[in-house]
Amino acid sequence: MLRYFVLLLAIGSVIHPSHGTEVMVKGEDDKLCLYAKLMVNFSVLYEAADNKSNSVQFELPTNVTLDGSKCEANSSTLKLNFGAGHSWSMNFTVKGNVYQADSITFSYNLNDSTVFPKSASNETVSVTVRPHITDVSMDTCYSCNSKETIEDESVNQTLWNVLIQAFVSNGTQSENMTTCAADLPIPSPTAPNTTTEAPVTNATTPSPFPPTTPTPILPTPATGKYTLKPDTNSTACLMANFGLRVGIKQGEKYEEINLDPNVTTVSGSCGSNSSELVLVSNTMTVTFVFANDTKKFRLQAMNVTAKLSSGEVFSDGNSSLSLWEASVGSSYMCNKEQNYTITSQLIAFTFNLQVQPFGVKKDVFSTAEECQTDSESFLVAVVVGVALLVLILIVLLAYFIGRKRNMASGYESF
Ligand SMILES: *[C@@H]1O[C@H](CO)[C@@H](O)[C@H](O)[C@H]1NC(C)=O
Ligand SMILES: *[C@@H]1O[C@H](CO)[C@@H](O)[C@H](O)[C@H]1NC(C)=O
Ligand SMILES: *[C@@H]1O[C@H](CO)[C@@H](O)[C@H](O)[C@H]1NC(C)=O
Ligand SMILES: *[C@@H]1O[C@H](CO)[C@@H](O)[C@H](O)[C@H]1NC(C)=O
Ligand SMILES: *[C@@H]1O[C@H](CO)[C@@H](O)[C@H](O)[C@H]1NC(C)=O
Ligand SMILES: *[C@@H]1O[C@H](CO)[C@@H](O)[C@H](O)[C@H]1NC(C)=O
Ligand SMILES: *[C@@H]1O[C@H](CO)[C@@H](O)[C@H](O)[C@H]1NC(C)=O
Ligand SMILES: *[C@@H]1O[C@H](CO)[C@@H](O)[C@H](O)[C@H]1NC(C)=O
Ligand SMILES: *[C@@H]1O[C@H](CO)[C@@H](O)[C@H](O)[C@H]1NC(C)=O
Ligand SMILES: *[C@@H]1O[C@H](CO)[C@@H](O)[C@H](O)[C@H]1NC(C)=O
Ligand SMILES: *[C@@H]1O[C@H](CO)[C@@H](O)[C@H](O)[C@H]1NC(C)=O
Ligand SMILES: *[C@@H]1O[C@H](CO)[C@@H](O)[C@H](O)[C@H]1NC(C)=O
């Protein structure tokens, strides 16, 4: 329900943006193949006749022509021509089940004295930049109301209120959106506590990330069973079962990745004061360091190196955590989905968690110490049970009182 509501709001806000340039490119079959509505501001630095550098700001006008725009099966071009010989074009390509904008080429004619007064040059200059419009699902519109400024040596372009669909199928614009990360309600996370304090933190750190996002929701990660043995013939010294998802925030972008246990290899080391678990999958490497503080253990450090969808490699970690705390000789358990803010860029989500980094005996978990929320739900069950019992008692009592009254009135009527 909520998701539909959000979608409606999103559409509503696109139908009434103040202004913007709206165009529809049609293919050879005369059907819509590319739709775009957007606003662009240009800031251009150019050399004036008096050897000074001038800068001008102007908007992409609403009055444009589409000569040079074209749609093909796997690539298309949106070309907006305006004014006296200026143009702005965007190239799109299909990458599997997503498409992206590969480049923006802005050509401006310095001979146009209405835009570039006293220009020393009369040439047409072209700049090509790379926009951050990637991973747009096929058959969806890319929507980004937030401003994105793309800087180049002498040209800054600011794009906002962008709604674009390339590779439109069947001539009908999609109602589904791929929303840019900047539009998602992600407040900037609070910096993690870097001071090494006594390990008395609550297991559930409130997350600065939003509770819901309209991005495609990943399936719950499968629960992996990871065991570490000091050597091949001995029993496990460390056991960890959990499903893991990491959320990575980089600038305006936020991305979530699940750890796939099927392709994950386990390594690490067991010590008496510190144990390490290293999980390596095709998409990420996660390192957990557990500390034995005499009577209690805790997750002290977590590092993640992950390959992002953009191809970039992300790496971050925190070595002063106090999570998953329990007595040495027992295990820590938290079945409910949990999220932990590891760093300002990294959030970890766990599912069906049970870990024992020290004192594992006979390849099985020792008694579990449950996390707060798990025991809270138990408490809720108890409270509900007690409330029901009280209700039953009240009903019974009411019944007996009622019967007594009836009997009494029965006697009176005689
Ligand atoms: C502009 O600079 C060039 C050399 O950089 C110089 O020869 C010319 O006289 C200058 N013109 C003016 C108007 O200052
Ligand atoms: C775009 O340019 C116009 C005119 O130069 C200016 O009024 C407006 O504030 C600019 N908008 C942004 C978002 O920069
Ligand atoms: C451009 O300027 C050069 C000299 O600066 C001049 O020779 C040429 O005719 C001009 N071209 C146009 C199209 O105005
Ligand atoms: C582009 O933006 C940067 C940073 O805001 C600024 O330093 C630069 O002067 C701008 N360039 C132009 C051509 O406006
Ligand atoms: C939007 O997406 C949903 C689910 O992915 C799909 O059922 C529906 O047909 C899509 N609508 C359009 C207009 O593409
Ligand atoms: C745990 O959190 C609760 C409520 O958020 C707070 O009252 C309590 O002091 C916290 N305990 C510790 C050990 O931080
Ligand atoms: C993190 O957990 C808290 C408490 O369980 C929850 O309110 C919040 O929505 C979660 N945040 C995310 C991003 O899942
Ligand atoms: C492991 O056990 C096998 C047979 O039980 C034995 O042959 C082998 O040497 C042992 N390896 C180690 C490292 O102890
Ligand atoms: C992992 O492997 C199990 C069995 O080997 C299979 O049932 C499951 O679907 C696989 N999960 C994924 C995500 O590939
Ligand atoms: C935990 O540390 C204490 C003191 O450093 C040590 O006595 C104990 O054996 C350790 N526990 C395990 C399971 O290694
Ligand atoms: C573990 O810690 C105890 C006390 O903190 C120290 O005495 C002992 O040497 C440490 N053991 C190892 C293997 O580091
Ligand atoms: C984890 O990351 C921190 C900070 O980025 C670094 O200091 C530490 O050495 C890393 N630890 C491991 C085990 O990679």
Side-chain angles (χ1 to χ4, degrees):
M1 254 338 241
L2 192 67
R3 276 174 72 190
Y4 287 108
F5 184 58
V6 170
L7 191 68
L8 277 178
L9 271 185
I11 292 169
S13 63
V14 205
I15 289 170
H16 313 282
S18 48
H19 290 290
T21 310
E22 184 175 22
V23 294
M24 292 178 192
V25 179
K26 289 184 176 168
E28 278 166 1
D29 53 1
D30 213 34
K31 280 185 177 168
L32 176 70
C33 67
L34 199 160
Y35 171 87
K37 181 162 188 168
L38 77 171
M39 296 179 87
V40 185
N41 262 18
F42 301 98
S43 173
V44 180
L45 212 59
Y46 69 98
E47 195 140 324
D50 49 6
N51 277 0
K52 276 186 193 156
S53 64
N54 264 3
S55 104
V56 289
Q57 278 81 39
F58 58 96
E59 285 180 68
L60 177 70
T62 51
N63 198 356
V64 297
T65 62
L66 292 172
D67 305 317
S69 299
K70 63 177 186 351
C71 297
E72 279 161 11
N74 288 313
S75 72
S76 44
T77 304
L78 170 70
K79 185 155 184 256
L80 309 177
N81 311 288
F82 59 96
H86 314 293
S87 71
W88 186 86
S89 67
M90 207 176 216
N91 285 330
F92 301 91
T93 52
V94 174
K95 291 259 161 90
N97 55 359
V98 297
Y99 64 91
Q100 65 181 45
D102 294 317
S103 62
I104 291 177
T105 302
F106 172 47
S107 296
Y108 52 101
N109 177 12
L110 289 169
N111 206 20
D112 179 0
S113 57
T114 55
V115 180
F116 305 103
K118 293 190 197 141
S119 168
S121 162
N122 56 10
E123 286 171 0
T124 296
V125 181
S126 285
V127 294
T128 300
V129 293
R130 206 181 165 81
H132 297 282
I133 302 179
T134 56
D135 295 316
V136 185
S137 303
M138 287 305 281
D139 288 320
T140 68
C141 287
Y142 170 81
S143 165
C144 197
N145 292 324
S146 307
K147 286 180 194 170
E148 185 197 350
T149 300
I150 308 166
E151 292 178 10
D152 196 58
E153 259 173 50
S154 52
V155 178
N156 286 356
Q157 305 180 40
T158 304
L159 277 67
W160 77 106
N161 287 350
V162 176
L163 184 64
I164 290 179
Q165 187 183 3
F167 310 105
V168 174
S169 65
N170 291 331
T172 331
Q173 200 191 330
S174 175
E175 285 167 16
N176 292 349
M177 308 266 174
T178 295
T179 309
C180 66
D183 280 2
L184 301 179
I186 298 171
S188 66
T190 51
N193 199 350
T194 44
T195 53
T196 38
E197 53 187 11
V200 285
T201 325
N202 273 329
T204 49
T205 314
S207 163
F209 290 84
T212 55
T213 57
T215 35
I217 290 158
L218 283 179
T220 303
T223 304
K225 298 192 166 158
Y226 311 107
T227 50
L228 204 60
K229 294 179 178 179
D231 49 66
T232 38
N233 278 0
S234 53
T235 57
C237 61
L238 182 154
M239 288 174 67
N241 292 0
F242 52 76
L244 179 73
R245 171 185 300 159
V246 296
I248 292 165
K249 188 177 183 288
Q250 282 218 297
E252 308 271 76
K253 282 206 160 186
Y254 175 70
E255 186 170 335
E256 292 187 344
I257 312 170
N258 282 347
L259 178 70
D260 181 359
N262 283 4
V263 296
T264 299
T265 56
V266 186
S267 59
S269 61
C270 293
S272 60
N273 289 357
S274 171
S275 289
E276 193 177 75
L277 173 68
V278 182
L279 303 177
V280 180
S281 81
N282 51 352
T283 50
M284 65 175 111
T285 299
V286 190
T287 309
F288 300 90
V289 178
F290 298 92
N292 164 11
D293 302 314
T294 316
K295 288 214 168 76
K296 294 206 147 201
F297 70 79
R298 67 193 159 103
L299 175 66
Q300 186 180 37
M302 179 175 178
N303 282 18
V304 173
T305 302
K307 207 160 74 189
L308 302 180
S309 59
S310 63
E312 277 175 88
V313 174
F314 168 88
S315 189
D316 202 5
N318 185 343
S319 309
S320 50
L321 301 170
S322 294
L323 303 172
W324 305 355
E325 233 185 288
S327 308
V328 172
S330 64
S331 62
Y332 177 81
M333 186 157 114
C334 206
N335 283 320
K336 274 211 176 149
E337 174 184 347
Q338 295 294 307
N339 59 62
Y340 308 96
T341 304
I342 307 299
T343 72
S344 58
Q345 293 184 303
L346 179 64
I347 182 169
F349 300 83
T350 60
F351 304 79
N352 304 317
L353 171 74
Q354 187 166 16
V355 285
Q356 187 169 351
F358 300 100
V360 177
K361 294 203 174 71
K362 295 177 188 160
D363 287 339
V364 289
F365 283 112
S366 308
T367 336
E369 287 182 15
E370 280 187 70
C371 62
Q372 219 174 10
T373 44
D374 277 5
S375 40
E376 258 170 21
S377 56
F378 171 74
L379 206 71
V380 167
V382 168
V383 167
V384 167
V386 168
L388 268 176
L389 211 71
V390 168
L391 201 73
I392 289 169
L393 280 178
I394 289 172
V395 168
L396 279 179
L397 214 66
Y399 170 75
F400 281 119
I401 288 171
R403 223 169 80 132
K404 254 191 180 159
R405 281 234 182 106
N406 269 347
M407 280 163 89
S409 59
Y411 288 127
E412 262 169 26
S413 67
F414 269 100

